[in-house]
Each structure stands twice: as C-alpha cells, then as structure tokens.
Amino acid sequence: MSNLAYQVQKQQVQLQPERNPKPVQQPSRKIFTKGEVVLWGAMGVVLIAGLIWLISLYASVYQATAEVENIQKDLSAETKIVEDYHLQVTELSNPERIMKLAKEQGFIFDDKNVKVVQD
C-alpha cells in the first residue's frame, strides 16, 4: 500500500500548478555573428571590385576592337590607292606609249642599240 500512496501523492504533486510562474525568457539570438557580418561584407567588396574590373576589361576590349576596325578601314583605303598606282604604272609603262613620247621628243629608235632586259 505504501506504493499506492506514493503514486497518489506523485499525481497530486504533478497536478498542482505552479503558484509563481516566471516568464521564461529565451536569450535573444542574433541571426549573424560579428565575424559572419565581416566575412559577408568582405565578400561583397570583393564581388563589387571583381565586377568593376570585369566591366573595365570589357570596355578596354571594346575600345581595342574599335581601334582595330579603324586601322583595317584605313588599311583597305591605302590598299586601294596602291592598287590604283600599280594600274597607272602598268598603263604608263606601255612600250607603245614610250615609243610615241620618244618620237615626239626627237629620239630615234635604233634596233642595234636595244638590249632586252628581263624582269
């Protein structure tokens, strides 16, 4: 019976409400610690610096590409001029034209004094 009495007494103790309940305060938890904030800040600075570097690199590549295109345009214009000069040289070095100019200036063509030079 002593065992039965113990059980009844145990039930009474458990059922008694606390008379002075103190509100349980949970310690305020911060989401991030100071170290994490510093790490996240440093990572943000590095990310922003990397993006700025990438944009400046892209801008310099764009500028170099534009400069190359301008140089190619100038080169094609100069190539056209050189081709025109070659065409003029071909026209002006025509043997018939040279003979005509020579006769106009009083030169005489003598086959004995002509030497053939090959390119």
Side-chain angles (χ1 to χ4, degrees), residues 52-93:
I52 291 172
W53 175 75
L54 187 65
I55 290 170
S56 68
L57 185 66
Y58 179 74
S60 66
V61 166
Y62 179 77
Q63 184 179 9
T65 304
E67 189 174 326
V68 166
E69 288 177 2
N70 287 337
I71 291 172
Q72 286 177 344
K73 185 170 38 168
D74 293 343
L75 182 65
S76 66
E78 292 296 324
T79 303
K80 186 175 186 288
I81 292 171
V82 168
E83 288 174 357
D84 289 343
Y85 286 149
H86 280 293
L87 183 62
Q88 285 180 356
V89 165
T90 304
E91 290 173 357
L92 295 175
S93 65

Side-chain angles (χ1 to χ4, degrees), residues 21-29:
K22 292 183 180 178
V24 178
Q25 293 182 355
Q26 301 229 347
S28 61
R29 280 188 61 172

Side-chain angles (χ1 to χ4, degrees), residues 8-43:
V8 172
Q9 187 180 20
K10 184 177 178 184
Q11 286 177 358
Q12 288 176 358
V13 170
Q14 286 179 357
L15 293 178
Q16 290 178 357
E18 294 181 11
R19 294 185 183 189
N20 233 348
K22 292 183 180 178
V24 178
Q25 293 182 355
Q26 301 229 347
S28 61
R29 280 188 61 172
K30 294 182 180 179
I31 296 175
F32 298 111
T33 62
K34 289 180 182 179
E36 289 174 334
V37 169
V38 169
L39 287 175
W40 281 106
M43 191 182 310

